[in-house]
Amino acid sequence: MTDTTHTKQPKQTHPTKYGFFRLLFFFVSGVLAVIGCYAYPAPALDAKTGGGFLGVFGQFFVFTEQDQRDPLSDVAVGTVKAYAGGGGVGSQLLAKNTLAEERKISLLRQRGKDISNSYFHHSAFIGDSRTEGFLLYNGLTRAGNYGVKALTVDGFFQKQVISNGSGGKITVAEAIQHKEYDTFYVMFGMNELGWASEKTFIAKYGQVIDTIRRYHPNSKIVVQSILPVSAEKSANDPVHNNPKIVHYNTLIEQMCVEKSVDYFNVAARFTDEEGALFAEASTDGIHLNKKYCNLWMDYLKEQVALDSAT
Amino acid sequence: MGRKNYLRLFLTFGLLLGLAVVVSACGEGQDRERDVSAPVVIDMAALSSQLQKELGLEAELAPVEEEVFAYVYDVVPEDYEEAVLLLSTGAAADEICIVQAADGDSKKAIKKQMEARIEAQKESFASYLPEEVAKLDEAIIREIDAYLILIVCANPEQGNAVLEQAIENLN
């Protein structure tokens, strides 16, 4: 008689049974890691996903084609005051920014730094002595140099200050007709703060824009805000003071909307907590030194970077 | 040895010593002539720093690229070996420019451009900051061998004094 007592047989495991699950585990982990790495960069860590640990996984549910857009594409060109790099107000805003915004700032700065000054060789700069200083301190000898001491929106049409190449001089309005530029950067206003009529100033400024557009219909026109003056200058000068500059900039911005031209609020980059030009930016309270002219250039480069992203 | 012999010995040595002094003095004179004929070399960066420090400038000056010098003074690169230009922010006419000309003709051309620069600045500041025109009227343009130095400042006497000291140091 055969012994039918069952003996416990050693458990037979299929040689690849647990190997399969192991493989499956590693495969799924790998997929999750790839998705997590791809979607982790700052753009996804915004208010939508809440950020942080759960945000990393939460973004799986909001990961769409839209999130593949350039992280700077939703930052409006010209309104980069939140990303100021000159300290003061900028620094405060930086401290209050979310992680995503700080990463955008960092990205913006890096992209700006990647742009060479030679990018502006096909640009023209029109303005007064501040523009002149900007051009010289940034070495922009190949750009259109129409920065002239004491130039006004009137002088643009009337003052013969630009060499015509044959010993004579012509106005800026005449000079710009003869050369092609991709972009015109314009800054007027400091020398017109003492005008009797701000309406006249804005009307003339509009005529400057119209003239540029007439001769260069395909060129971009950028109007820059009037830069602030130092606190000391503002307190002691009945004409060149910051409340007046702020008011004029509001009018200039409105003009830009009406004329459909870009408005760059450069002033915001150089304004401290008191609404004045940083003390270290100038010895006379008006003209920027080399360091701040270089920061002004950084600002313009960042705008170019933003323009490329949108 | 008698007294006479000592006297002769003393006179002989004295004459030899005197001869040696005379000969060495002549030798030094010849060396001085050789130094003068050697080309002058100015440390332009050091001189510009010294000027900036000692002139009591009213405006903040900053160095700019050589390309900016060529642009501002309208000179061609072939006319100069090296140039240092310190420009003001626009708040004043103060300026320091040191140029090493390529040759004699270039030096004349650059000097002419320096004079043109002064006139252009006068025209520019006349309607902008008229008080700066006085500085431009007293602008210094100095030639030292192959070098041209332009200084616009409120204290031209001090500018000349610093340059004189720099020339002395070269010798």
Side-chain angles (χ1 to χ4, degrees), chain B residues 119-138:
Chain B
E119 290 310 307
Q121 286 285 76
K122 281 187 197 176
E123 198 181 320
S124 192
F125 275 96
S127 57
Y128 176 60
L129 290 170
E131 61 272 25
E132 294 296 306
V133 176
K135 282 184 198 171
L136 292 158
D137 284 335
E138 300 293 322

Side-chain angles (χ1 to χ4, degrees), chain B residues 99-161:
Chain B
V99 190
Q100 183 185 4
D103 52 48
D105 287 339
S106 299
K107 195 166 87 166
K108 284 181 195 163
I110 293 172
K111 186 174 179 184
K112 200 172 160 191
Q113 291 306 107
M114 282 183 166
E115 289 161 353
R117 165 75 174 162
I118 298 297
E119 290 310 307
Q121 286 285 76
K122 281 187 197 176
E123 198 181 320
S124 192
F125 275 96
S127 57
Y128 176 60
L129 290 170
E131 61 272 25
E132 294 296 306
V133 176
K135 282 184 198 171
L136 292 158
D137 284 335
E138 300 293 322
I140 300 167
I141 298 179
R142 194 76 180 265
E143 295 178 48
I144 302 175
D145 203 49
Y147 297 84
L148 282 157
I149 301 167
L150 178 147
I151 301 172
V152 178
C153 64
N155 193 350
E157 294 81 19
Q158 180 64 10
N160 278 315

Side-chain angles (χ1 to χ4, degrees), chain A residues 121 129 132-133 135-142 145 149-150 159-160 169 191 280 282-284 287-290, chain B residues 58-65 67-68 71-72 87-92 117 120-121 123-125 127-129:
Chain A
H121 285 176
S129 53
E132 183 186 34
L135 286 161
L136 295 177
Y137 279 147
N138 284 298
L140 293 180
T141 56
R142 297 184 203 181
N145 184 345
K149 291 182 182 64
K159 213 169 168 181
Q160 291 175 323
K169 291 203 173 173
N191 293 313
E280 66 157 15
S282 169
T283 48
D284 72 336
H287 298 91
L288 301 193
N289 56 32
K290 186 177 179 183
Chain B
E58 293 179 341
E60 184 179 348
L61 300 192
V64 292
E65 297 162 21
E67 197 176 316
V68 177
Y71 173 81
V72 167
L87 283 178
S88 163
T89 60
R117 165 75 174 162
Q121 286 285 76
E123 198 181 320
S124 192
F125 275 96
S127 57
Y128 176 60
L129 290 170

Side-chain angles (χ1 to χ4, degrees), chain A residues 2-71:
Chain A
T2 309
D3 183 354
T4 57
T5 306
H6 288 283
T7 56
K8 201 167 185 180
Q9 296 295 323
K11 200 169 186 183
Q12 295 286 333
T13 51
H14 191 282
T16 61
K17 180 180 176 183
Y18 288 109
F20 169 76
F21 284 110
R22 193 175 295 160
L23 279 174
L24 183 64
F25 170 77
F26 283 124
F27 176 74
V28 171
S29 301
V31 169
L32 288 177
V34 168
I35 293 174
C37 288
Y38 182 75
Y40 183 79
L45 286 181
D46 56 15
K48 247 190 327 195
T49 57
F53 178 77
L54 287 177
V56 172
F57 291 92
Q59 65 194 329
F60 293 149
F61 303 100
V62 298
F63 180 69
T64 65
E65 193 176 317
Q66 192 185 10
D67 292 323
Q68 296 180 57
R69 70 184 187 282
D70 192 305

Side-chain angles (χ1 to χ4, degrees), chain A residues 43-298:
Chain A
L45 286 181
D46 56 15
K48 247 190 327 195
T49 57
F53 178 77
L54 287 177
V56 172
F57 291 92
Q59 65 194 329
F60 293 149
F61 303 100
V62 298
F63 180 69
T64 65
E65 193 176 317
Q66 192 185 10
D67 292 323
Q68 296 180 57
R69 70 184 187 282
D70 192 305
L72 294 175
S73 60
D74 59 355
V75 181
V77 174
T79 62
V80 198
K81 67 176 181 180
Y83 305 105
V89 170
S91 296
Q92 285 190 330
L93 285 169
L94 278 171
K96 291 178 186 169
N97 284 336
T98 65
L99 180 64
E101 285 171 330
E102 288 199 16
R103 285 185 174 152
K104 284 184 184 179
I105 292 167
S106 177
L107 181 60
L108 180 61
R109 283 182 180 157
Q110 186 53 54
R111 287 197 188 171
K113 282 189 188 341
D114 291 340
I115 295 173
S116 161
N117 282 17
S118 62
Y119 175 91
F120 296 95
H121 285 176
H122 300 290
S123 300
F125 293 83
I126 302 174
D128 52 35
S129 53
R130 282 169 150 181
T131 296
E132 183 186 34
F134 165 84
L135 286 161
L136 295 177
Y137 279 147
N138 284 298
L140 293 180
T141 56
R142 297 184 203 181
N145 184 345
Y146 304 105
V148 180
K149 291 182 182 64
L151 193 67
T152 62
V153 288
D154 248 353
F156 174 86
F157 297 100
Q158 296 168 4
K159 213 169 168 181
Q160 291 175 323
V161 288
I162 306 296
S163 171
N164 62 2
S166 32
K169 291 203 173 173
I170 54 179
T171 65
V172 176
E174 289 165 336
I176 61 169
Q177 296 176 32
H178 306 296
K179 289 182 182 174
E180 287 302 316
Y181 299 105
D182 294 341
T183 309
F184 286 83
Y185 293 92
V186 188
M187 183 190 283
F188 281 116
M190 178 56 74
N191 293 313
E192 294 91 330
L193 291 174
W195 281 20
S197 168
E198 59 193 34
K199 276 187 185 169
T200 303
F201 162 63
I202 291 298
K204 282 281 182 182
Y205 211 160
Q207 288 172 17
V208 169
I209 305 301
D210 293 341
T211 301
I212 296 171
R213 190 169 265 157
R214 186 181 319 131
Y215 295 113
H216 302 276
N218 300 319
S219 299
K220 185 173 176 178
I221 300 173
V222 173
V223 172
Q224 302 176 88
S225 56
I226 307 171
L227 298 178
V229 295
S230 67
E232 186 183 346
K233 182 73 178 172
S234 187
N236 296 306
D237 194 322
V239 173
H240 304 97
N241 54 67
N242 290 315
K244 204 159 189 182
I245 288 172
V246 168
H247 174 63
Y248 266 53
N249 279 335
T250 305
L251 298 176
I252 291 170
E253 191 174 4
Q254 282 172 3
M255 177 202 71
C256 290
V257 170
E258 289 162 14
K259 294 286 181 186
S260 300
V261 296
D262 282 348
Y263 174 72
F264 279 8
N265 190 6
V266 195
R269 177 62 63 96
F270 300 111
T271 304
D272 66 14
E273 300 161 24
E274 313 298 325
L277 180 67
F278 299 117
E280 66 157 15
S282 169
T283 48
D284 72 336
I286 295 178
H287 298 91
L288 301 193
N289 56 32
K290 186 177 179 183
K291 176 185 172 187
Y292 276 78
C293 281
N294 294 158
L295 286 174
W296 181 354
M297 172 58 91
D298 287 346

